[in-house]
Each structure stands twice: as C-alpha cells, then as structure tokens.
Amino acid sequence: MKKTIAITSALAAASSLATAEIKINEFLSIEGFVDMSYSHTDVDEDGGSESDNSFGIDQVEIDWLFNFDKVSARVDLQYEGETTLRNPGQRGKRRKGFDSEGDSVDVEQAFVNYRFNDKFNFKTGVILVPMGYVNEFHEPTLFNGVERPNVDKYIIPSTWREMGAGFQGLFKKASIKYQLYVLNGFNAYTGAARLSGANGLRNARQGGDESSFLRPSVTGKISYFGFDKLLIEASAYIGKTESSLYNGLERNNTVAISQADSTVVGISMAGWNVSYAAKRLMFRGQAIYTSLSNTDQYNAFTGSNVAKGILGGYAEVSYKFDLKKDDYLQMIPFVRYEYYDTHFKVDEFVARNKAYAREELIIGVGLKPAPGLIFKADYQLFKTKVDDNFTSTLNLGFGYWF
C-alpha cells in the first residue's frame, strides 16, 4: 500500500495572455512566470516506510516579445531546476532539468514571424509543436489542477519544442485557424536508446539545442471555432527519428548503414481536442494515438522495449461559481479522468508491460480572487493495470501571472 502527499506551490504567468504583458516601449514587452514547489512523499511498502522531501524553484521563465508592424519575434528564456515527473511507481524520484543532469537554462521558444496578412504568416525558429492544448499553453494558470495532465507529459512529451519553419494563419469567415511546420525530429539513438516503453518519446526530444536535422518532420494543427461555444482541433505529426550512427558514416559501408538504419523509428501521431464553454460549464477532452514503425529492429539493436502503439486521452468537466456579485471572486471545481498507455501495442518479441497502462482520477478546485491570481487544490487517485489499489496524492498550489 502506498500513501503519497505532495504540496506544490506555483508562482506563474500565462505567457499567451496579452493582458499579462509589461510594456517596455512600443516595440518591446515582457512577460513570464516562476514555478516553485515543496513535495513530501510517504511510502509504506512491504512492512517498511520511507519519505522524500524536496523544495525549490522548478522554473523561472522570462518572455521577450518584439513587434515591428509586419515583423514580430518572441524569445522565451527558461531556467529549470529539479522537477518531478509524476509517474506512478516512481514517487519521490527526482528528475533534473530538461535533458540535463543538473539545473539548466534553455530557450523554450525563439522565433520570428512575418505577417503577410491574417491568412498567411511565415514563422521560423524554435517552435512549440502544435499537438494538443497544453503543449502550447502550459502555464499553470491556464489549466485546472496543480500539475498539467500526465497525458501531456507521456503521450505528448510536453514541453515539446523543436527547430523549424512553416506557416500559420486565420480564415475568419471560415472560422478556421491553421498551423503547418517542418521541424527537426526526435533523436532516438545517441550511443544508447532514447525511446523506451516506460517514457515513450519523451527522452528523445531535441529541443532545438544543436539538433540533428537529417530527416525533417512535418506537424500541423487545424482549429475550427464555427460552432457556438465549441472549439474543435485536430493535430498531426509525421517523421522519422535521427541517429548518431550516421555521423561520419561512409556511403559504401553497407554493414554500418544497415546498423544505423535499425536505429531509426518512424513516428505518426494524430490527435484531437475539444473544448465546450457554456456560461459557467466547461468541458475539455483530448485523445492522442502514436504509431511507431521499425520498432522490432530498434529494440533488437538497442535492447530497448519501445512500443509500436502509444495511446492516451482525458476528459474534464469544470464549473465556475461567482462568489461575489460586485467583486471578482470565482471558485472553479473540476473533475478529470485520464488514461494513458505507453505500451498499448508491442512487437511480437516484446512483452507488454501492463504497469505502463495508467489511469487517474483528479478532483479539485481553483479559487480566483483576481483575474491573474488562482489558488489550487486537488486530490488524485491513480493506479496501473498491475496495481490492486489506488495511490492517492494531495496537491496544493497557487498561480500568478504578470
């Protein structure tokens, strides 16, 4: 039996909200957020017990926004310390900063956008991959719960950003917004396997940092808002992974080429998300499926156990109460169910690990005393297919954007 209590404090800014900007001059504005956390974990197992405590700054992000008429640019600088990947069965195990053994400073976004008109914009640089909702809008004030959904960690490996270029635009009369980019892909092999059954694609992100770009990938999203109070979005990603075995490879070395080819995995990801907002009622749903090819050769060469099919989704309902008629004070209770399986389908010679099939039920509430401030609390029940009982987690937090 496991009992877990986690207390998380978040001080955050929603970088997608224009009203959150600090205007420096007519060309430059700044926004950002700070994310702090304290966590205490108690585990009772096999007649013994142990605990884990941690406290520190998880993230600090400063976003610089430039606007010169038709040309705009954005640079998001992020410091990331120790963070916890909330993977059932790994409570209390800390993970260092993004793709690093220690604290790190990274560029989350850095792009230039040229606006021809509303329908046609050219964008290039380090870009957030437009899969799902949270990967693009992941500040703590923009989703319910202290932590972002785990579907957006293990199925969509947020925060997922890569180097590339493409187009975006808005067709107002058709109620359609689109994004289409060519990006560098995942790096599946760097002397060892970076794809796995437990974490799926997450550890293979390149993040725009000295990225290999031999095999461009394509991603896109279409958003339709023509129905009253309803937003429907479809996303896709198609590409092949990179491999360090191609570095300095001679073209006439057929044995080495064959080995390098065995470390390349084809990835096709498709997803949809829908949001419905009535006067006070809000519904959000999301489903993602990823198909991987050449996994049999990849697993045989690397010794990994990556799946050939990865599945995840969630459904969430929330309701907004106005607690004061003449003042801004809102309470937002919510409930969310998640299911995600990074071993949904496997090759013939890979044993499916049912511990990678996880389900969660999160019940929580948010209290907003001001438009830019929210206090959060949620209670989480989760288990895998091999667990007899649910593990419980209590989370407390607050968010603020500037």
Side-chain angles (χ1 to χ4, degrees):
M1 180 179 179
K2 299 180 181 180
K3 295 181 180 179
T4 304
I5 298 177
I7 302 176
T8 304
S9 301
L11 185 63
S15 63
S16 64
L17 299 180
T19 55
E21 298 176 7
I22 299 174
K23 195 171 182 63
I24 305 301
N25 55 45
E26 60 178 318
F27 304 114
L28 173 64
S29 58
I30 298 175
E31 57 192 26
F33 68 89
V34 179
D35 184 2
M36 303 175 63
S37 68
Y38 168 77
S39 176
H40 174 76
T41 303
D42 288 324
V43 179
D44 296 327
E45 204 167 39
D46 298 329
S49 65
E50 61 180 69
S51 63
D52 175 77
N53 295 276
S54 61
F55 177 76
I57 298 175
D58 293 332
Q59 283 185 302
V60 178
E61 182 172 306
I62 303 296
D63 307 333
W64 304 78
L65 290 79
F66 304 87
N67 193 343
F68 304 95
D69 193 19
K70 289 185 175 295
V71 178
S72 60
R74 180 181 185 120
V75 178
D76 295 358
L77 299 179
Q78 172 186 269
Y79 162 82
E80 189 165 32
E82 287 192 332
T83 59
T84 299
L85 286 180
R86 301 176 59 188
N87 184 3
Q90 295 183 351
R91 298 288 173 171
K93 297 183 180 180
R94 306 296 292 174
R95 177 185 181 269
K96 298 289 186 177
F98 185 88
D99 287 345
S100 171
E101 293 300 322
D103 298 347
S104 63
V105 177
D106 299 293
V107 177
E108 184 179 87
Q109 292 189 89
F111 62 82
V112 174
N113 186 85
Y114 184 84
R115 178 182 175 275
F116 293 93
N117 50 52
D118 289 343
K119 300 176 182 178
F120 195 67
N121 291 251
F122 176 74
K123 182 176 177 180
T124 184
V126 179
I127 300 169
L128 292 174
V129 179
M131 289 295 302
Y133 174 80
V134 171
N135 194 59
E136 294 185 277
F137 308 108
H138 50 264
E139 293 76 12
T141 52
L142 297 182
F143 57 86
N144 290 316
V146 177
E147 295 277 350
R148 69 183 67 177
N150 268 328
V151 169
D152 291 299
K153 291 182 181 181
Y154 292 99
I155 308 303
I156 299 174
S158 65
T159 302
W160 182 15
R161 68 215 187 238
E162 303 295 352
M163 181 74 70
F167 302 96
Q168 61 176 344
L170 174 66
F171 292 87
K172 292 182 180 179
K173 291 185 178 180
S175 302
I176 291 176
K177 177 184 176 182
Y178 76 91
Q179 300 179 68
L180 182 63
Y181 306 116
V182 176
L183 306 168
N184 66 261
F186 293 94
N187 196 341
Y189 188 82
T190 56
R194 298 184 68 180
L195 303 177
S196 68
N199 294 316
L201 307 173
R202 185 171 186 85
N203 296 333
R205 297 168 299 172
Q206 298 197 72
D209 183 15
E210 298 182 1
S211 300
S212 177
F213 210 151
L214 295 176
R215 295 176 179 81
S217 300
V218 178
T219 185
K221 174 189 278 189
I222 295 178
S223 306
Y224 182 74
F225 51 93
F227 298 116
D228 186 32
K229 305 173 183 177
L230 181 65
L231 172 66
I232 301 173
E233 296 183 307
S235 309
Y237 173 93
I238 300 174
K240 291 185 176 182
T241 63
E242 307 287 348
S243 172
S244 63
L245 289 184
Y246 288 101
N247 297 342
L249 188 63
E250 297 181 1
R251 294 184 178 180
N252 59 353
N253 191 336
T254 57
V255 174
I257 291 176
S258 178
Q259 288 182 335
D261 288 345
S262 68
T263 62
V264 175
V265 175
I267 300 175
S268 299
M269 182 183 297
W272 66 269
N273 52 282
V274 58
S275 300
Y276 176 80
K279 290 183 179 181
R280 300 179 183 275
L281 182 67
M282 176 76 177
F283 170 82
R284 179 175 292 163
Q286 179 171 286
I288 305 290
Y289 181 75
T290 303
S291 177
L292 296 90
S293 61
N294 200 43
T295 53
D296 52 348
Q297 292 189 39
Y298 181 85
N299 290 328
F301 183 84
T302 65
S304 186
N305 64 341
V306 65
K308 65 178 182 179
I310 298 173
L311 175 70
Y314 66 81
E316 177 185 285
V317 178
S318 62
Y319 192 87
K320 181 176 68 175
F321 292 93
D322 292 324
L323 301 183
K324 286 189 176 181
K325 293 183 179 180
D326 300 327
D327 197 3
Y328 190 98
L329 182 60
Q330 297 178 344
M331 183 175 68
I332 309 171
F334 77 95
V335 59
R336 180 173 68 240
Y337 175 80
E338 297 188 55
Y339 179 84
Y340 51 105
D341 188 351
T342 52
H343 245 202
F344 182 68
K345 286 186 178 181
V346 297
D347 292 307
E348 181 181 358
F349 299 105
V350 173
R352 186 186 178 203
N353 192 332
K354 293 184 178 181
Y356 300 156
R358 308 139 185 164
E359 61 178 323
E360 304 183 17
L361 179 66
I362 304 96
I363 302 170
V365 64
L367 184 67
K368 297 182 69 175
L373 178 65
I374 186 169
F375 295 90
K376 298 181 177 184
D378 63 62
Y379 184 73
Q380 179 187 32
L381 296 170
F382 65 87
K383 74 173 188 176
T384 71
K385 281 193 173 181
V386 299
D387 294 328
D388 295 326
N389 301 313
F390 282 93
T391 299
S392 62
T393 304
L394 174 66
N395 301 287
L396 304 175
F398 68 93
Y400 170 75
W401 57 264
F402 61 90

